[in-house]
Amino acid sequence: MDVLKRVPIKEQEPIERIHNFDEVCFGYTPDEAAMEAQRCLQCKNAPCVKGCPVEVKIPEFIQLIKEKKFKESYFKILETNLLPAICGRVCPQETQCEQNCVRGIKGEPIAIGKLERFVADWFRQNCEFEFSKPQPNGRKVAIIGSGPAGLSCASSLAKMGYEVTIFEAFHKLGGVLYYGIPEFRLPKEVVEWEIENLKKMGVDFRTNMIFGKTFDLEDLKQEGFDAVFISSGAGLPNFLNIEGELLNGIYSANEFLTRINLMKAYKFPEYDTPIKLGKKVGVIGGGNVAMDAARVARRLGSEVYILYRRTEAEMPARKEEILHAKEEGIKIVELVSPVRFIGDESGHVRALELVKMKLSEEDSSGRRSVKPVHGSNFVFEADNFIVAIGQSPNPLVKKAVPDLELNPNGSIKVDESLMTNIEGVFAGGDIVTGAATVILAMGMGKKAAENIDRYLNAKKHENL
Amino acid sequence: MNEIVIKQNIVPNVWLMGIYSPQVAKKAKPGQFVILRVTETGERIPLTIADFDSDKGIVFIIFQVVGKTTSILSTLNIGDSIADFVGPLGMPYEQDSNDKSYLFIAGGLGIPAIYSKVKMLHSQGKDIEIIVGGRSKENIFFEEELRKYCSSLYISTNDGSYGQKGLVTDILTQLLENGKRYDEIFAVGPVLMMKAVVDITKKYGIKTLVSLNPIMVDGTGMCGGCRVKIGNEIKFACVDGPIFNGFEVDFDGLMKRNSYYQDLENLSYKEHKCKIGLGE
Ligand SMILES: Cc1cc2nc3c(=O)[nH]c(=O)nc-3n(C[C@H](O)[C@H](O)[C@H](O)COP(=O)(O)OP(=O)(O)OC[C@H]3O[C@@H](n4cnc5c(N)ncnc54)[C@H](O)[C@@H]3O)c2cc1C
Ligand SMILES: Cc1cc2nc3c(=O)[nH]c(=O)nc-3n(C[C@H](O)[C@H](O)[C@H](O)COP(=O)(O)OP(=O)(O)OC[C@H]3O[C@@H](n4cnc5c(N)ncnc54)[C@H](O)[C@@H]3O)c2cc1C
Ligand code: SF4
Ligand code: SF4
Ligand code: FES
Ligand SMILES: [Mg+2]
C-alpha cells in the first residue's frame, strides 16, 4: 500500500449513474476504512481539527476506526458533530479539515469526510439509536425551519431537557438537505433517519406552518414558548435581472431542484408535478447549487453546459462535485456573463446572449476580478436555462416580527450569543450568514442551544 | 387536520368545500389563498380562500375541475382529509379608506376571489356593484349570496342563456359610457378578461386591481416560478401579490407562462382518467 495515496473508494460509473438518481459514492467497507485510517499520523497538534468549523475530534475518531471500534468512533464524532453522515458527504473538506492534514503535504490528505461518513453509515446500519430522556426542565423552545441549523439546535436542547417544537413551512422536513441537495449526493434516507431520531428524543415537528403567515411571534408567546430560534435559511432565489428572464423554459435553481427533490417531478406522471427539459440546457453559476442543477439535468437526459463568469479554478463548488460533473459529461464554459435571453413568439427561451470575460491580475486579497471584453458578445442556444447565482434571505420572517433588526442584505442581525435585537429570540444558519454551508449552520444551531440555555437559566434566577 | 367538513356541488364541475384548518382560518384575510396537496404523490396547487369561519376553524374553497388534481380533490368526501393544506398565503386585499364606491367584475371562477372582499366592504357600508359572467347559465353561481352584499348585480353569459348575452366587458363599457363612475374596480377571472377590463378602465383612469393566477409551486417566495412583470419590475405573485395594480401587469407574459405545462398536464389528466375508467 502506498501511504501517500488514499484507499480508493468505489463509485457508480459515470455512464451508469447519469441514468439514475442513486448515490454516486458507495462508501468504504469496514476493511477499507480501517486501511485508510492506518494512514493517519495521529498528529499531536492535529491541524486537521482546526480546519473543521465544529472541531470534530479527528485523530481520536480515526484511531477508533483503526481499532475497528466503529460504534465508539461514532460517539466520538457525535461529541461535536450531530450530523456526521450528512457532513461526511457534503462538507467542502478540501478547504476545511482535509486542507490542513499533514499527510497532504507530500501526498493525499486522509479521507476524513469519507471516514466520518463510513462510521455514521455503519452505525445507522448496525445499531439502534438509543436515547435516555433527561428530566424535563419544564421549558419550551420554538424553532423555525427544519434545516441543519434547526435540527442541531433541537437536538442539543432536547438533550438538556427542553420541550422542543420545530415549525416547518414545507410538507417535508430537512430544509435544503431535503429539497436542495439531490438524492445522488445525499440520500433522503440519511436525512430521514436523523429526523426519526429527533422524534424519538421527543422533538415535536409541525409541517405546513409558515412563520409570518400561519403564525407569528405573538402566537408563540401565547403558546408558552420561553425562547425562539429562527433558522429559516436563505431561500429567496436571485435572478440576473436581464431582459427575457420571464420567458418559459428558464428556471431558478430553487424551482428546478424543488420540483425534482421535493415534488419528485422526475417520476412524472407517477408524481403529479411536471418538469420540462429539452435536449440542451445551460446552467448559469459556479457553486454547489449550479453543480447540483447541472447533474440533475444530465440525469433527465439533457446535454448540459455550465456557464460561469470566471474559470473553473475560481468556482466555489466543492472540487469533488466539479470532478463528478465533468465525469458525467457536463461541459464548463468559462469566462462568460449573461447579457439577455432571447425567446420565440410562443414565449419560450431559445438562446442566451453572453459576453466574454477577462480575468484581471490578483488584487490585494488575492482574488482576481473579471471584466467584460467589449464587443465579444455571442449567442448560446439552448432549450432551457437554469439560473443558479445564489440565494438571499426570504423576507417572510421580517413580516412575522416587524421589529426584527436586519443587516442591509436582509440577513438577521445577531449578537455574539446569536440573540437578535428581540429578547429571547435567537437566529442562526443561512438566515444570519447568508448562503453558507451545512456544517456552519449546524454549528450555529448548537451554539444557539447553549446560549438559549444560558439565557433562560439567567432569567430564571432573575425571577426568583 | 385538513378534514373536509362541507362538500357541495354548486354548478356542474364546480365544488365548494369547507376544510377544517383552525390555524389557517384564524389568520385568513380577504384576498389570500392556500396551497394544498391532495395526496402523497400529488402536486401543490393554489386555491383562493373564498370565505372562512375563524370560530369554527373552517376555510372555504371553491374550485372547478380542470385537470388531475382538481379532479381527485372533487372525488373526496366529507370526513376525508387532504394531505397538506397551508396558508394563508399572499398579501391580503388592502383597501383605501377613502374609497366609497366599488365595481367588482368576476368571470368564471373569479367569483370565489371576490366573495370575501365584497362581504367585508359591505359590512363597512361601502357601495358595491358586481358584474359576473360565464359561458352559460349553468356557469353562474352564488347569485343569491352576492345579491345580499351589493346594490346592483349584472350578469352576462356568452350564449345569452342568462342575463345579458355577451361578455362582462360589454356591461362594463355600457356602465361607464352611461356615466357611472367608481373609486375602485376589482377584476378577477381569466387573464384575457382581466386584460380586456384594464384596457377599458385605463381610458377612464379608474383605479383597477386584478388578482393574478400564475403557476405556483411553494407559494412562499422560494422558487420564483410565479414571477410576473409588474411595471418594470419582476414580482413573485405568491408573496408580493396575488393582487396587483391592473395598469402595470404584463398580461401577455402571464398568459404565456400559464400555458407552459399544458401538454404535460393534459397527459397526466388523461392517464388519470384511464386509470379510473373514464378514459376514452
Ligand atoms: C442545491 C444546494 C446545494 C448545496 N450543497 C452544499 C454542499 O454540498 N455542502 C454544504 O456544506 N452546503 C451546501 N449547501 C448549502 C447548505 O445546504 C446550507 O448552507 C444549509 O442548508 C443552511 O442551513 P439552514 O438550517 O440555515 O437553512 P435551510 O437548510 O435552508 O433550512 C431552512 C428551513 O426553514 C424553512 N423555512 C423558511 N422560511 C420559513 C418560515 N417562514 N416558516 C417556517 N419555516 C420556514 C425552509 O422551508 C427550510 O426547510 C447547498 C445548498 C443548496 C441550495
Ligand atoms: C392565487 C391563485 C388562486 C387560485 N384560486 C382558484 C380558485 O379559487 N378556484 C379554482 O378553481 N382555481 C383557482 N386557481 C387555479 C388553480 O390553481 C388551478 O386550476 C389548478 O392548479 C389546476 O390543477 P389541475 O391539476 O386540476 O389542472 P391542470 O390540468 O394541471 O392545470 C389546468 C390549468 O391550471 C393552471 N395550473 C396548473 N398547475 C398550476 C399550479 N401549480 N399553480 C397555479 N395554476 C396552475 C394552469 O394554467 C393550467 O393550464 C388559482 C390559482 C392561483 C395562482
Ligand atoms: S464536519 Fe466537515 S469539516 Fe469537520 S471533520 Fe467532518 S467533514 Fe471535516
Ligand atoms: S492532520 Fe491528517 S494525519 Fe494528522 S491527525 Fe489529522 S487526519 Fe491524521
Ligand atoms: S410559487 Fe414559488 S416563489 Fe411564488
Ligand atoms: Mg395539475
Side-chain angles (χ1 to χ4, degrees):
Chain A
M1 184 184 122
D2 181 355
V3 290
L4 294 182
K5 287 237 159 79
R6 277 186 179 182
V7 174
I9 200 155
K10 288 188 196 67
E11 290 179 345
Q12 265 200 82
E13 289 300 324
I15 185 95
E16 265 165 48
R17 68 183 192 237
I18 57 170
H19 299 296
N20 65 52
F21 278 78
D22 300 340
E23 193 169 15
V24 169
C25 177
F26 293 122
Y28 281 136
T29 63
D31 288 337
E32 288 166 347
M35 220 165 24
E36 176 65 12
Q38 294 286 351
R39 296 176 60 228
C40 172
L41 302 167
Q42 294 293 317
C43 311
K44 277 236 165 50
N45 61 343
C48 51
V49 176
K50 295 187 194 84
C52 170
V54 299
E55 305 195 336
V56 167
K57 295 180 175 153
I58 297 170
E60 287 95 327
F61 95 78
I62 294 183
Q63 179 61 35
L64 288 162
I65 297 181
K66 230 186 265 182
E67 296 164 21
K68 294 211 171 178
K69 292 182 180 158
F70 301 137
K71 192 168 175 176
E72 289 78 0
S73 179
Y74 178 71
F75 286 109
K76 184 54 74 184
I77 302 174
L78 229 47
E79 285 176 22
T80 58
N81 179 357
L82 168 74
L83 305 168
I86 295 169
C87 295
R89 284 175 166 83
V90 305
C91 260
Q93 290 107 7
E94 73 273 13
T95 60
Q96 298 185 357
C97 52
E98 294 178 13
Q99 185 177 40
N100 288 4
C101 175
V102 172
R103 268 281 182 227
I105 299 171
K106 276 206 190 123
E108 289 180 332
I110 306 293
I112 302 172
K114 297 283 191 289
L115 288 176
E116 190 170 311
R117 153 193 173 157
F118 161 76
V119 168
D121 287 352
W122 183 90
F123 185 87
R124 190 172 70 253
Q125 282 145 18
N126 294 286
C127 303
E128 265 310 303
F129 171 82
E130 288 157 36
F131 177 73
S132 51
K133 239 187 181 155
Q135 192 64 28
N137 67 14
R139 283 179 295 197
K140 286 167 68 173
V141 179
I143 295 179
I144 316 296
S146 63
L151 296 179
S152 80
C153 186
S155 163
S156 301
L157 287 169
K159 283 179 197 148
M160 295 181 223
Y162 284 88
E163 196 185 310
V164 183
T165 305
I166 297 191
F167 296 87
E168 168 57 47
F170 276 151
H171 58 268
K172 286 282 184 192
L173 302 165
V176 168
L177 305 177
Y178 197 94
Y179 74 72
I181 305 181
E183 178 80 15
F184 54 82
R185 209 148 69 76
L186 177 62
K188 302 294 158 255
E189 175 204 345
V190 174
V191 182
E192 277 159 5
W193 187 80
E194 298 290 356
I195 287 165
E196 279 314 306
N197 291 343
L198 284 176
K199 287 183 184 162
K200 287 180 195 157
M201 290 165 70
V203 174
D204 180 25
F205 287 92
R206 293 197 216 162
T207 50
N208 294 322
M209 295 292 284
I210 306 176
F211 190 51
K213 290 289 174 190
T214 321
F215 67 106
D216 54 28
L217 206 52
E218 202 43 49
D219 297 311
L220 292 178
K221 271 193 199 141
Q222 279 184 14
E223 246 199 82
F225 286 101
D226 301 290
V228 179
F229 178 58
I230 304 177
S231 51
S232 54
L236 179 74
N238 296 342
F239 280 94
L240 294 153
N241 295 320
I242 59 174
E243 190 186 320
E245 219 161 10
L246 214 62
L247 289 164
N248 282 328
I250 303 172
Y251 294 99
S252 75
N254 273 9
E255 179 182 358
F256 182 69
L257 292 171
T258 301
R259 281 181 182 270
I260 296 289
N261 296 332
L262 182 72
M263 305 311 296
K264 306 232 181 328
Y266 64 98
K267 295 188 181 168
F268 180 90
E270 181 195 342
Y271 282 73
D272 296 336
T273 304
I275 189 105
K276 267 193 175 180
L277 215 62
K279 272 209 193 75
K280 187 173 166 192
V281 175
V283 178
I284 301 150
N288 285 320
V289 184
M291 292 304 139
D292 283 343
R295 297 175 67 199
V296 166
R298 185 77 187 108
R299 280 160 177 75
L300 296 177
S302 302
E303 187 189 324
V304 183
Y305 294 80
I306 290 177
L307 312 170
Y308 185 52
R309 299 180 68 213
R310 299 163 183 270
T311 68
E312 195 186 310
E314 286 89 21
M315 281 192 172
R318 296 181 60 211
K319 291 290 164 282
E320 182 178 321
E321 305 314 333
I322 299 174
L323 181 73
H324 279 156
K326 292 206 301 196
E327 285 173 359
E328 289 163 10
I330 292 162
K331 297 179 191 73
I332 298 177
V333 184
E334 299 179 325
L335 293 167
V336 290
S337 177
V339 178
R340 69 184 172 109
F341 289 104
I342 301 161
D344 59 21
E345 303 87 72
S346 77
H348 197 285
V349 70
R350 288 292 159 227
L352 171 61
E353 182 179 324
L354 294 163
V355 61
K356 289 193 178 146
M357 306 293 280
K358 208 175 90 188
L359 273 182
S360 70
E361 296 302 306
E362 280 183 18
D363 62 15
S364 52
S365 67
R367 196 169 159 86
R368 302 169 74 184
S369 63
V370 277
K371 274 202 314 247
V373 180
H374 207 75
S376 66
N377 295 35
F378 67 105
V379 168
F380 179 91
E381 285 181 16
D383 303 296
N384 291 88
F385 290 92
I386 300 169
V387 181
I389 55 162
Q391 293 96 241
S392 308
N394 190 313
L396 268 187
V397 167
K398 175 81 181 165
K399 287 189 184 145
V401 196
D403 312 334
L404 192 66
E405 241 182 86
L406 303 183
N407 295 310
N409 64 1
S411 60
I412 299 180
K413 209 168 176 171
V414 292
D415 64 17
E416 325 71 74
S417 75
L418 299 182
M419 206 197 293
T420 65
N421 67 312
I422 296 171
E423 221 202 291
V425 179
F426 296 73
D430 279 4
I431 185 76
V432 169
T433 55
T437 59
V438 172
I439 188 73
L440 280 177
M442 209 205 71
M444 283 176 99
K446 187 170 172 222
K447 181 175 163 194
E450 287 155 8
N451 284 312
I452 288 170
D453 185 50
R454 211 166 291 143
Y455 161 77
L456 289 176
N457 283 334
K459 208 167 127 181
K460 194 169 94 187
H461 288 298
E462 261 170 46
N463 293 347
L464 285 178
Chain B
M1 242 344 178
N2 311 339
E3 189 186 320
I4 298 168
V5 290
I6 293 165
K7 183 186 181 188
Q8 266 175 40
N9 189 192
I10 310 184
V11 292
N13 264 331
V14 177
W15 298 82
L16 175 145
M17 278 184 180
I19 313 290
Y20 181 68
S21 178
Q23 80 253 18
V24 179
K26 183 175 156 204
K27 295 282 168 170
K29 294 208 176 71
Q32 293 186 294
F33 62 95
V34 294
I35 289 223
L36 59 80
R37 204 169 62 113
V38 186
T39 63
E40 279 304 319
T41 55
E43 62 180 341
R44 296 167 68 99
I45 66 158
L47 293 173
T48 303
I49 296 174
D51 202 2
F52 49 91
D53 183 333
S54 315
D55 297 333
K56 295 204 177 103
I58 300 174
V59 177
F60 295 88
I61 51 174
I62 297 174
F63 61 93
Q64 181 172 26
V65 175
V66 292
K68 181 169 175 186
T69 305
T70 45
S71 162
I72 297 176
L73 183 59
S74 74
T75 60
L76 297 187
N77 290 308
I78 292 177
D80 292 340
S81 286
I82 299 175
D84 302 292
F85 191 82
V86 55
L89 298 166
M91 297 301 289
Y93 169 64
E94 241 178 80
Q95 62 181 119
D96 185 333
S97 53
N98 297 321
D99 290 349
K100 292 190 180 59
S101 61
Y102 293 81
L103 175 66
F104 282 86
I105 307 175
L109 258 280
I111 294 170
I114 68 166
Y115 184 68
S116 59
K117 299 179 190 87
V118 164
K119 220 167 117 177
M120 177 180 79
L121 292 170
H122 174 80
S123 73
Q124 300 167 356
K126 307 284 183 182
D127 182 42
I128 298 164
E129 296 190 8
I130 300 174
I131 310 175
V132 296
R135 245 175 304 132
S136 176
K137 179 167 197 251
E138 60 170 31
N139 302 114
I140 305 291
F141 57 94
F142 264 35
E143 188 185 335
E144 287 319 306
E145 285 85 345
L146 288 174
R147 256 187 222 290
K148 281 190 268 181
Y149 304 116
C150 63
S151 54
S152 313
L153 179 76
Y154 310 93
I155 296 173
S156 74
T157 51
N158 300 6
D159 62 4
S161 54
Y162 195 52
Q164 180 175 324
K165 182 175 159 75
L167 304 170
V168 286
T169 40
D170 298 336
I171 298 180
L172 170 67
T173 307
Q174 288 156 19
L175 289 172
L176 295 176
E177 274 177 1
N178 290 338
K180 278 272 194 178
R181 288 298 176 267
Y182 308 90
D183 293 330
E184 178 184 301
I185 294 181
F186 192 106
V188 46
V191 181
L192 265 180
M193 180 212 100
M194 293 190 280
K195 182 180 152 114
V197 166
V198 167
D199 283 342
I200 296 166
T201 58
K202 231 179 208 166
K203 283 184 268 181
Y204 291 86
I206 303 174
K207 174 173 80 177
T208 306
L209 300 181
V210 293
S211 186
L212 303 184
N213 59 346
I215 292 177
M216 296 185 175
V217 184
D218 59 300
T220 65
M222 67 76 67
C223 81
C226 64
R227 60 193 189 277
V228 287
K229 199 163 165 197
I230 307 294
N232 284 322
E233 278 181 89
I234 299 280
K235 299 267 186 192
F236 292 180
C238 69
V239 284
D240 302 320
I243 301 170
F244 291 103
N245 174 355
F247 293 171
E248 293 185 345
V249 174
D250 168 17
F251 291 105
D252 295 330
L254 175 61
M255 246 178 301
K256 285 175 183 160
R257 283 187 72 75
N258 274 356
S259 66
Y260 187 46
Y261 295 102
Q262 198 67 62
D263 49 346
L264 290 179
E265 282 153 352
N266 292 345
L267 177 86
S268 108
Y269 193 23
K270 214 169 129 190
E271 279 215 352
H272 170 68
K273 282 199 277 196
C274 284
K275 227 183 241 158
I276 59 170
L278 285 174
E280 45 271 44

